[in-house]
């Protein structure tokens, strides 16, 4: 059951990364030469950059995806707030894997 859940999360996450790249490449030509890169509290752009900044989010998503991929493959390297022993190892690694995948999904959906 948990393997099927993780496969679904992995496919969703990979699909979002591919979608970000596809959407950016598809709409790149339609972007103006100068795009807003930062907004103030009122929602007005206060910093501008070249349209190459449109690739910032897809590149960042690839970096996060690779980092999370290696973190999930070696859960012993993660920092847990308590000692991991034989009794709680499987449960804690499941919780960590679930929430790391869920966090990546949310980050990709927000950005």
């Amino acid at each position: 059951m948990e393997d099927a859940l993780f496969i679904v999360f992995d496919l969703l996450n990979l699909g979002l990364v591919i979608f970000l790249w596809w959407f950016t490449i598809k709409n790149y030509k339609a972007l103006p030469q100068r795009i807003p890169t930062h907004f103030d509290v009122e929602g007005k752009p206060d910093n501008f950059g070249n349209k190459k900044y449109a690739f910032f989010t897809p590149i960042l998503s690839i970096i996060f995806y690779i980092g999370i991929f290696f973190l999930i493959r070696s859960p012993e390297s993660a920092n847990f707030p308590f000692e991991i022993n034989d009794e709680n190892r499987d449960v804690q690694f499941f919780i960590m894997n679930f929430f790391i995948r869920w966090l990546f999904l949310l980050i990709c959906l927000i950005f």
Side-chain angles (χ1 to χ4, degrees):
M1 173 64 183
E2 67 186 46
D3 289 337
L5 180 67
F6 291 156
I7 290 171
V8 168
F9 267 119
D10 289 340
L11 290 176
L12 279 173
N13 290 336
L14 182 63
L16 279 173
V17 170
I18 291 170
F19 173 76
L20 279 172
W21 277 100
W22 171 80
F23 188 79
T24 304
I25 291 169
K26 179 181 178 279
N27 294 310
Y28 184 74
K29 289 182 181 180
L31 289 174
Q33 202 58 26
R34 242 178 100 210
I35 60 171
T37 57
H38 191 268
F39 298 88
D40 64 9
V41 177
E42 297 172 357
K44 298 176 184 171
D46 60 357
N47 197 6
F48 294 89
N50 194 339
K51 71 180 188 177
K52 292 178 184 174
Y53 280 102
F55 288 104
F56 180 71
T57 303
I59 289 171
L60 202 57
S61 71
I62 287 286
I63 293 169
F64 284 155
Y65 188 79
I66 291 169
I68 287 173
F69 176 79
F70 285 115
L71 178 65
I72 289 171
R73 298 300 176 237
S74 61
E76 299 84 18
S77 65
N79 188 13
F80 289 91
F82 44 83
E83 184 179 344
I84 301 296
N85 54 34
D86 292 335
E87 296 172 2
N88 65 3
R89 176 181 313 270
D90 293 335
V91 172
Q92 293 304 318
F93 287 173
F94 172 79
I95 292 170
M96 190 253 337
N97 280 327
F98 178 81
F99 281 111
I100 292 293
R101 285 174 165 104
W102 177 249
L103 180 66
F104 183 76
L105 182 71
L106 291 177
I107 288 171
C108 280
L109 287 174
I110 289 171
F111 293 105

